[in-house]
Each structure stands twice: as structure tokens, then as C-alpha cells.
Amino acid sequence: MSDGDGELEARLVEQEEFEPSDEFVEQANVSDPAIYDEFEEDWPHSWERAAEMLDWFEDYDEVLDDSEEPFYEWFVNGTLNASYNCVDRHVENGDKNRVAIKWEGEHGETRTYTYQDLYREVNEFAAALLDLGVEEDDVVTMYMPMVPELPIAMLACARIGAPHSVVFAGFSADALATRMNSAESRFLVTCDGYYRRGDALDHLEKANDGLGGVDHGVDATVVVDRLGDDGFGHDLKGNQHDWDDLLDTHDGERVEPVARDAEDMLFLMYTSGTTGEPKGVKHTTGGYLAYTSWTSHAVLDIKPEDTYWCSADIGWITGHSYIVYGPLSLGTTTVMYEGTPDFPERDRLWELVEKYAVDVFYTAPTAIRAFMKWGTEFPERRDLSSLRLLGTVGEPINPRAWKWYYKHIGNEECPVVDTWWQTETGGMMVTTLPGIGTMKPGSAGPPLPGIDARVVDPGGEEVEAGRAGYLTVNKPWPGMLRTLYNNDERFISEYWEEYSDPDADEWVYFPEDGAKIDEDGYITILGRVDDVLNVSGHRLGTMEIESAIVGVEGVAEAAVVGGDHEVKGEAVYAYVILEDGYEGTDEMRDKIVAGVEDAIGPIARPEQVVFTPELPKTRSGKIMRRLLEEIANDEELGDTTTLRNPEIVTEIQSKVQND
Ligand code: WTA
């Protein structure tokens, strides 16, 4: 059935508010609106509700220590182990035969891990890590695609108290080296390769290149054999070990989960910021695990008997929080898929929803926009009636895409939660609770209970309903980052300086997103206000891309901005000035694209490279990015009178249009 442009009928196009069905509300984990007041009245003790979802070795004696703001501590002096909470306790509670991970490879091969299977492999790999010399607090880097060994390795690290730092497999060798150097990480877990749209990719070569760029000694690398006979025949070097051999050597071994302090680091996750250097976001064991467990329960409505699927990659925070830690802590079945949504056909995701009878599905707006473009015939081929709840994350979702998802995937029966959060927040912050709230497509919703998010003007005063402003979070929460790795100063300057008043002891977190709020307190996110792009839901710093481009021989200067893109949301536009003697040839363009792919990865590949003799600059020499954005978007240009070189604008404009 096709009902015109975007395949939505007029009735839905006009409807602005949606309610969850009675049937959904009756079974929802959280359905009493009193929860908002309860959290407020009893704050911060209300957060005990999240901590109570975990098994603690030793109880905490204080919920929140805010004596050294903004270095907050949660669940003070409590001890616990994340691997114990995600694995052992389910085995001990009689659920050892429940499926923990259902994995599907790109070619349709499947692997199923019960909680008992997971327990066995996590223990064996933990024993192997200890044997390789990994000690508590050593950072273990993982550079792996979507294979089950990734969550197993993460949980094995958590078991022995070694923080992990997962680097997205699509990132380049340079990006791996930068992150290993920053974390002084001496251990790497990686794999030989993986499949993408039918082709085997050589991942170990990239990993080895990255290792070549590590400034300190690397003690050991573990390599998962994913490709078997399709592999590239690399020989493992002296300190490189085969995953299967290690598990065989440690067959049947058990490792006691270490008692970690609630504030001990569980993992580092690098993310892009305003400057070129990626930031090492530090998350802790108690607060993070409590927060992801609670939000998985309250927002994703996950029940142990569900089959739950988040289609993100574990290389990003969404996968950490909502493929691995939250769902496994709740003891549910979490689905992992190796491949892409359009291989072998554009109904691949719906095929999997049907095959596994998925109850809850969580994805990104960029994927939904692609589904819309492909048309309704693909979901219509499949039985999606197992679905109970849908979610999105990563970027703003426009009402049309929201409604398409609601109708064509959810059959107008599943609530849709549009969840705003960040790498730094650890878990969801602004969204409706599906068993309580009215949904307004395009608006994420109110802050979660216990979250004091506001929309303010540059002076920090709350703006009136309907007016645009900046999002702030005015109270701490358990899942928040604790600092940037080895860089407390940057932690303060990035997130706290803008709106805090230290003299008055007022600390306000600034996520660097623009937003507006309506009369019901619903927040609509307007996007980043710093120099960070959101390409297909992936955070990329313009500075990182610019420094990759100026690293190419012959490039004098570069400016990178985001232009609107139908599927990706934003796409990378690069304006480049060449040195004298170099010409803007196709070859030069290819070199620039390759330079970006080498420094960051294919996700940062410029959509367009525009050669220009100058960049539009103000009299004080600042590049007018706003104009470059307008040009990329083919919009009417704003004020150019403050420019030193206004004539360049029309020249650039005609180049972009003719390209
Ligand atoms: C954006 C991903 C609008 C936002 C979990 C944020 C969103 C950045 C939403 C964080 C949403 C995330 N609506 N925008 N529901 N969710 N964002 O660190 O700009 O990869 O600051 O974390 O994505 O991206 P990150």
C-alpha cells in the first residue's frame, strides 16, 4: 500500500499528540505518573530505586556526595561488580538457560548464548586476560565489529576490574592509535575481519597499522577469528593470541568477580568535541550500571522474558548502555546483528524482527529516514506484530519520520520513545515514559523523573515556552560522566563553565545542544550548538576533519560545516584552500577524501569538497561558518556586510551549485 508522498495519510499528518494504548499501559513497568513527584520530593534518595535494581557486595552509605562539585560521587562506599550483575546473578537466580545474546551474522549464521554460556565464556576470557598480565585498572582497548566476543570481552574486563575502551571498528588505524595513546592502553582485543554487504573486510591489517602508531609498549593483542577460511592469512605476531586458543587453554576456569567501588571506572568512551582531540569520557561502575538498568526498565520497558533489539553498534555509547549493560543487567535477551539494514535486501531488519519475534526495537532516525525512502513494501513483507514498543536515539527525528515509524513499523499500536541523551550522560535523559506520557512527534518529551533539565537563555534564565534556548541539566544524576580521562580541567571547561556559578555553589551541566520547551514542559532538541556534526547519528568534530584535511599535502586551509542531508541528517561539506602550485583536480579531491578516511574513517567522508581561493572571513579573521552552511544548504544567504571579502561568497556558491 502506498498513500502518497512519504506514505502517510492526512489523518496522521495532522495529528499532533498520541497516547499509549490501554493494553500497553496495563503491562508497562512504569505507569504511575506519581513517579515524577516521588523523584522530586525525595531527591537524591529517590535514586536508590535505581541502585536497588543491582546486587551490591557491600551497601553504599550515602546516595550522593556533592562536597566537591562538579566531581560528584554516587552510592558512596558501595561495592559491586558489573559482570556479576549482568551474568552471574541471573545464573544463580535460576535463569541460566534463558538466552542472553542472540547473534545474527551478515550471512545469516546465528549464535545463541544462554546466561550459562555467557557465564562460561566471560569467566574463561577473564582468566585469559589475567594470564596475559592484565591487572585491575589497566585499560583494555577493543577494536571490534558486532561479534559476540565484544560484549564477552567487555564483561570479562568488568569482572577483573579492568576498564575497557571500545573503539568503533569503522574508525581508522590512526583513530585507534590516538585512543590507545591517550588511555596508555597496553592491551588490545580485535579480530581478523568481518563482513559488509557480502564482502570480507580485512580488519587486522587496520588494527596492526594502528598498533604501529602506539607510542608505548603493547603487552598483548587478542585476535578473534571471525572470517575462518575467508580470512586474509595474516600470521599472528609474538604477542598476538588467538581468542579460541586462549579459551581452550582456560577451559572451564572461573574467576571471582572483583569488588569494585561504585566510583571505580567501568569504561572509557572516546567522543568528539569542539577541539581536534577526542575526549575520553569516564563512566563508573555503580552510577552508570544503576542508571542504565533503571532507564532500560522505565523507558525501554524491558522485561526479562522479552526479546529486545537495539540496532546500534556497540562501538558507540548507545550499544554500551542499551545492547550490553542495561539489557543484560535486567536479564533479558538482547539481539546483536553484524550487518547492514539493506543486505541482502532492504527488509533485513524486519526479517530479523519477525524471525526472533522482537518485542522492543530501538534505532536511530537516520535509519528510519532510509526506511522511508525505500518504501513500505519492505516492512509489509514481514510480520511485525510481536513489537510492543519502539524507540529512537541519536538525532532529532522530524514528525514525519516519527509518524512513519509509528504507523509502518508499529502498526499504530506501539508507543515511540524519542530519547535524548549523550555519551557523557551515560543513559537517557529526556523522553516520555511510554506507559505514562502523551507523545508529541518531533519533541523528545519531558525530562525523566529525577532529571532537572531546563531550556535557558545565554544568561541561564529559563526561556518562555516556544522560544529557542540552550539545554542545561541543573542537578547531577547517577549515570553522568565523572571526568574526562586524565583531564579534569577540560571536564570543567567543556561542560560546567558556561552556566555554573561556582561562587554561589551552583553547578550546571551544559550538553551543548540547542532546544525549546513547550507549555507542557516538552523539550524539542534543535541540535548541537558547538562545532560538532551529527552524521547518521554519529558525532564528528569539524576540527578533527579539518585537521585531517590540512594534513594532506598541498592543502593550506580548510573549513568543514554540516549541510542538510535527506538520510544522514547532516553531511560533511569541506571548503578547501590549496597552496600555490596545487590545483583543485579530481585527484586532489580523492587525496583529501582518503586523508579524512585515514585519519578518522569512512563515516567522516566529505559529501562535497569545494576548492576556493579564500574563505569568507570577518574583519577580525574569523571564518563565517554560518555562510558556508547556508551555501551547503542552498539557502538564501544572511548578512554578509561584516565580511572582509564578501565577493568570495558568490564565487563559492556558484562552485557548489555547479559541482
Ligand atoms: C544528539 C548518542 C535529538 C544531540 C546517545 C546530542 C539527539 C548528541 C537525540 C549526542 C534525540 C541524541 N533528539 N538529538 N533524541 N539523541 N541527540 O554522544 O545533539 O553520540 O548532544 O550520544 O546526539 O551524541 P552521542
Side-chain angles (χ1 to χ4, degrees):
M1 182 198 78
S2 174
D3 44 15
D5 168 45
E7 290 152 335
L8 276 181
E9 64 239 56
R11 168 183 62 86
L12 271 182
V13 171
E14 274 163 31
Q15 191 174 341
E16 287 177 0
E17 297 192 358
F18 294 77
E19 301 295 335
S21 67
D22 292 344
E23 208 186 332
F24 183 89
V25 173
E26 274 160 30
Q27 62 79 56
N29 286 342
V30 177
S31 56
D32 184 355
I35 191 154
Y36 288 96
D37 289 340
E38 284 166 25
F39 258 91
E40 195 163 322
E41 282 157 17
D42 201 23
W43 196 95
H45 299 282
S46 39
W47 283 113
E48 293 203 57
R49 182 191 294 262
E52 279 162 13
M53 303 191 76
L54 306 180
D55 281 11
W56 296 79
F57 293 152
E58 251 170 287
D59 260 345
Y60 49 88
D61 43 44
E62 202 182 344
V63 173
L64 170 66
D65 176 355
D66 58 1
S67 56
E68 281 185 56
E69 294 176 287
F71 298 95
Y72 299 95
E73 296 193 349
W74 286 88
F75 310 124
V76 182
N77 292 329
T79 66
L80 76 167
N81 183 285
S83 166
Y84 178 85
N85 274 281
C86 291
V87 187
D88 304 39
R89 64 168 170 163
H90 308 310
V91 172
E92 290 168 10
N93 291 345
D95 290 326
K96 66 177 196 280
N97 292 327
R98 178 178 294 143
V99 174
I101 298 175
K102 274 228 176 266
W103 177 83
E104 170 114 359
E106 201 187 63
H107 293 304
E109 63 277 53
T110 57
R111 276 154 74 181
T112 300
Y113 290 81
T114 62
Y115 276 93
Q116 177 66 29
D117 297 331
L118 195 58
Y119 175 74
R120 196 185 62 245
E121 295 212 5
V122 166
N123 271 281
E124 289 172 359
F125 194 61
L129 288 174
L130 291 175
D131 201 28
L132 293 172
V134 179
E135 290 178 3
E136 197 170 343
D137 295 321
D138 283 344
V139 176
V140 177
T141 302
M142 288 163 203
Y143 186 42
M144 289 162 98
M146 289 289 281
V147 290
E149 287 83 356
L150 175 53
I152 290 168
M154 291 162 75
L155 293 166
C157 279
R159 194 166 196 86
I160 62 173
H164 51 74
S165 165
V166 179
V167 179
F168 175 57
F171 275 140
S172 67
D174 282 0
L176 171 66
T178 311
R179 286 158 179 75
M180 285 188 78
N181 285 330
S182 164
E184 294 163 57
S185 174
R186 291 178 294 111
F187 300 92
L188 175 67
V189 187
T190 185
C191 76
D192 61 343
Y194 55 105
Y195 295 99
R196 260 300 167 278
R197 297 201 170 86
D199 295 328
L201 300 188
D202 188 346
H203 190 62
L204 187 54
E205 184 179 72
K206 238 176 29 165
N208 281 333
D209 280 355
L211 285 169
V214 176
D215 301 332
H216 50 269
V218 173
D219 293 354
T221 298
V222 179
V223 183
V224 173
D225 177 3
R226 161 73 188 109
L227 296 177
D229 292 342
D230 286 346
F232 294 85
H234 296 291
D235 289 327
L236 297 188
K237 297 177 195 154
N239 65 354
Q240 298 191 319
H241 306 265
D242 175 70
W243 172 285
D244 293 323
D245 289 349
L246 286 178
L247 289 202
D248 284 347
T249 310
H250 297 279
D251 188 31
E253 285 181 32
R254 298 287 175 264
V255 174
E256 272 300 298
V258 300
R260 296 282 279 170
D261 188 278
E263 283 296 309
D264 280 341
M265 172 158 54
L266 179 62
F267 67 88
L268 272 178
M269 168 111 251
Y270 282 87
T271 188
S272 296
T274 308
T275 69
E277 279 285 292
K279 311 184 274 197
V281 170
K282 175 183 160 180
H283 281 294
T284 57
T285 310
Y288 172 83
L289 196 63
Y291 198 71
T292 51
S293 302
W294 160 248
T295 46
S296 295
H297 169 84
V299 182
L300 295 173
D301 198 49
I302 292 177
K303 309 185 168 53
E305 55 278 12
D306 281 341
T307 299
Y308 158 81
W309 184 17
C310 165
S311 74
D313 191 293
I314 294 176
W316 305 97
I317 191 71
T318 303
H320 278 52
S321 301
Y322 299 113
I323 297 177
V324 182
Y325 286 110
L328 293 178
S329 165
L330 297 186
T332 195
T333 300
T334 183
V335 175
M336 270 181 83
Y337 171 51
E338 177 186 42
T340 53
D342 56 352
F343 188 87
E345 287 208 59
R346 289 172 166 179
D347 67 345
R348 188 62 192 270
L349 301 192
W350 319 127
E351 178 195 342
L352 296 184
V353 168
E354 179 180 81
K355 177 173 171 187
Y356 295 121
V358 170
D359 298 276
V360 178
F361 180 68
Y362 191 35
T363 195
T366 185
I368 298 169
R369 289 192 298 266
F371 304 148
M372 284 174 77
K373 214 171 136 200
W374 297 341
T376 54
E377 60 169 292
F378 299 101
E380 277 165 11
R381 282 185 196 165
R382 302 291 175 174
D383 177 5
L384 307 181
S385 60
S386 60
L387 290 169
R388 180 176 86 239
L389 173 66
L390 301 173
T392 83
V393 57
E395 30 165 349
I397 179 165
N398 59 313
R400 201 167 189 103
W402 191 104
K403 291 173 186 178
W404 190 95
Y405 191 37
Y406 179 74
K407 176 174 169 69
H408 295 290
I409 307 303
N411 194 28
E412 301 187 47
E413 285 162 0
C414 306
V416 175
V417 283
D418 172 2
T419 60
W420 176 87
W421 57 291
Q422 308 179 295
T423 304
E424 292 86 344
T425 68
M428 301 156 173
M429 300 287 283
V430 177
T431 171
T432 51
L433 283 166
I436 298 179
T438 299
M439 296 162 272
K440 303 187 188 184
S443 167
L448 280 175
I451 300 297
D452 185 2
R454 305 180 187 179
V455 179
V456 302
D457 64 20
E461 295 301 318
E462 284 187 70
V463 298
E464 279 167 45
R467 302 283 287 273
Y470 301 95
L471 189 64
T472 59
V473 188
N474 296 49
K475 279 199 192 99
W477 65 100
M480 68 196 302
L481 80 164
R482 295 303 192 269
T483 192
L484 294 176
Y485 192 59
N486 280 341
N487 207 340
D488 289 348
E489 265 166 48
R490 188 168 173 203
F491 169 66
I492 294 187
S493 64
E494 288 267 348
Y495 304 108
W496 301 96
E497 236 154 43
E498 197 81 25
Y499 287 104
S500 301
D501 182 357
D503 295 334
D505 238 6
E506 269 175 31
W507 290 88
V508 176
Y509 173 82
F510 181 43
E512 308 206 66
D513 270 317
K516 57 185 189 181
I517 190 162
D518 73 7
E519 51 297 329
D520 300 322
Y522 276 51
I523 294 174
T524 296
I525 307 293
L526 301 172
R528 303 282 308 190
V529 294
D530 55 2
D531 294 328
V532 170
L533 306 185
N534 193 330
V535 179
S536 302
H538 301 322
R539 239 167 105 167
L540 297 169
T542 51
M543 288 270 287
E544 279 171 83
I545 308 174
E546 286 168 7
S547 69
I549 297 176
V550 294
V552 174
E553 193 193 319
V555 173
E557 199 178 347
V560 164
V561 300
D564 297 339
H565 189 280
E566 195 190 347
V567 174
K568 296 179 184 172
E570 269 187 305
V572 175
Y573 278 76
Y575 299 87
V576 176
I577 303 178
L578 296 176
E579 285 171 2
D580 285 349
Y582 286 87
E583 272 176 52
T585 56
D586 285 346
E587 200 190 341
M588 193 68 206
R589 185 168 282 130
D590 293 346
K591 273 196 191 154
I592 288 171
V593 171
V596 173
E597 292 193 1
D598 285 349
I600 304 168
I603 46 167
R605 182 201 312 249
E607 189 77 13
Q608 212 177 347
V609 177
V610 183
F611 295 107
T612 171
E614 280 177 53
L615 291 166
K617 287 191 179 164
T618 60
R619 292 205 177 84
S620 60
K622 260 186 91 172
I623 298 172
M624 278 267 258
R625 289 168 183 281
R626 175 181 57 78
L627 278 176
L628 294 173
E629 272 164 18
E630 286 163 357
I631 294 173
N633 291 331
D634 203 9
E635 284 165 8
E636 207 172 304
L637 300 185
D639 186 14
T640 57
T641 51
T642 56
L643 284 183
R644 193 167 63 186
N645 51 353
E647 64 297 337
I648 196 67
V649 173
T650 33
E651 192 178 328
I652 300 180
Q653 212 170 14
S654 71
K655 281 195 179 171
V656 173
Q657 282 158 358
N658 295 332
D659 224 19

